[in-house]
DNA sequence: TCATTAAATTGTT
DNA sequence: AACAATTTAATGA
């Protein structure tokens, strides 16, 4: 994907906006380029925009006092994020960092609120979007409390490919096994065993610093397996 | 472009 | 948690 317009066209809500608002959004969205390792937004910043990933991969994470990474979500192209912070006009609780050089569309908060006020289609999208997030959170809580490490890792990887939240996601994640560990609450050693087990099952390929899912449906079945 | 070195990541204990 | 092996990235000839 290479433009904000293209990104907007992939959404369910943009084509349904009233014409004047569509025009305003089209003109008001500004794309930014974030180099690999750069910040889309930082914890503590006042939220100004709702973000949509055009290209690349962005992770939402925190760095703890001792320097450890805690990743909450990976955001592939097509993902929109930050609505929670915009809605509450708060400061960011997390960092958003580009894992690869990425382009991100910034939609100013004023336009975001105007869409909520003026478009039922957008409001409905937002309701479904938040509902999907909640569903994913529930799946993660359940997975974390009930299942063995390998299934938690599988769930964590699946979360990256949620087609509802991230309609355009490809099958590659640039995350180290260490980061997957922090993301799924499993030690690096267990992650290592889990990903190699899944590779042996033909569900994914692992290479230096990245995981490529080759059988998404197979991974779903694997994650749903009763321990 | 290639070789050397440092840093990051992985595999193992 | 610690260690060794491997891979990548950076550096300079």
């Amino acid at each position: 994907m290479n433009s904000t317009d293209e990104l907007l066209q992939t959404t369910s809500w943009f084509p349904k906006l009233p014409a004047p608002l569509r025009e305003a959004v089209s003109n008001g969205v500004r794309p930014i380029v974030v180099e690999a390792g750069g910040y889309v937004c930082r914890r503590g910043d006042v939220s100004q925009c709702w973000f949509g990933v055009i290209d690349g991969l962005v992770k939402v994470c925190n760095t703890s006092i001792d320097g450890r990474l805690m990743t909450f979500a990976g955001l592939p192209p097509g993902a929109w994020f930050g609505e929670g912070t915009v809605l509450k006009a708060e400061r960011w609780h997390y960092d958003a960092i580009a894992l690869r050089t990425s382009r991100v569309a910034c939609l100013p908060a004023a336009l975001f609120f105007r869409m909520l006020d003026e478009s039922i289609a957008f409001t409905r999208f937002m309701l479904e979007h938040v509902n999907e997030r909640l569903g994913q959170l529930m799946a993660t809580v359940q997975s974390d409390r009930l299942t063995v490490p390998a299934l938690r890792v599988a769930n964590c990887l699946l979360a990256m490919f949620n087609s509802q939240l991230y309609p355009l996601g490809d099958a590659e994640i640039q995350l180290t096994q260490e980061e997957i560990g922090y993301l799924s609450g499993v030690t690096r050693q267990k992650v290592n065993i889990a990903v190699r087990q899944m590779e042996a099952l033909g569900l994914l390929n692992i290479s230096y610093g990245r995981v490529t899912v080759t059988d998404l449906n197979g991974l779903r079945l694997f994650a749903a397996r009763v321990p």
Side-chain angles (χ1 to χ4, degrees):
Chain A
M1 189 150 41
N2 42 39
S3 73
T4 50
D5 281 333
E6 242 178 276
L7 175 64
L8 289 172
Q9 292 302 335
T10 66
T11 68
S12 63
W13 44 271
F14 180 75
K16 294 182 191 159
L17 295 177
L21 185 51
R22 205 163 55 231
E23 178 92 16
V25 168
S26 196
N27 293 329
V29 173
R30 53 193 172 80
I32 57 171
V33 175
V34 184
E35 297 299 319
Y39 287 85
V40 178
C41 62
R42 308 183 75 125
R43 180 158 44 147
D45 286 353
V46 174
S47 153
Q48 314 270 7
C49 289
W50 188 45
F51 294 111
V53 180
I54 300 169
D55 201 56
L57 186 67
V58 174
K59 67 173 177 179
V60 178
C61 63
N62 265 343
T63 307
S64 63
I65 305 148
D66 56 350
R68 289 184 214 232
L69 289 171
M70 169 79 223
T71 305
F72 297 101
L75 305 167
W80 290 85
F81 69 101
E83 65 280 344
T85 309
V86 172
L87 273 170
K88 293 195 277 185
E90 283 184 336
R91 292 170 189 276
W92 288 97
H93 295 173
Y94 319 107
D95 294 324
I97 296 175
L99 289 172
R100 326 169 189 154
T101 298
S102 302
R103 278 174 320 137
V104 178
C106 305
L107 197 149
L111 279 171
F112 178 83
F113 282 110
R114 220 185 120 190
M115 288 197 289
L116 282 181
D117 288 341
E118 297 180 20
S119 170
I120 289 179
F122 182 74
T123 300
R124 184 181 177 105
F125 162 82
M126 193 48 61
L127 190 61
E128 287 168 355
H129 187 72
V130 171
N131 193 41
E132 191 61 30
R133 281 265 163 74
L134 180 59
Q136 190 166 298
L137 178 63
M138 295 295 274
T140 300
V141 170
Q142 173 175 323
S143 170
D144 285 356
R145 295 200 177 154
L146 296 179
T147 69
V148 298
L151 301 192
R152 292 161 61 161
V153 171
N155 179 70
C156 151
L157 294 176
L158 277 175
M160 297 289 190
F161 299 111
N162 183 313
S163 59
Q164 180 97 29
L165 285 176
Y166 318 131
L168 310 170
D170 61 9
E172 194 178 282
I173 302 178
Q174 267 192 31
L175 286 177
T176 65
Q177 293 179 14
E178 187 174 33
E179 280 189 294
I180 294 172
Y182 290 127
L183 175 50
S184 50
V186 166
T187 64
R188 192 169 64 77
Q189 289 90 332
K190 300 281 188 190
V191 172
N192 188 256
I193 292 167
V195 291
R196 282 192 291 153
Q197 182 185 352
M198 287 186 270
E199 184 180 47
L201 290 169
L203 303 175
L204 51 80
N205 290 321
I206 54 184
S207 55
Y208 191 84
R210 86 191 55 179
V211 171
T212 307
V213 175
T214 53
D215 182 357
L216 186 52
N217 207 46
L219 191 61
R220 287 203 184 94
L221 293 174
F222 181 83
R225 204 178 60 176
V226 178

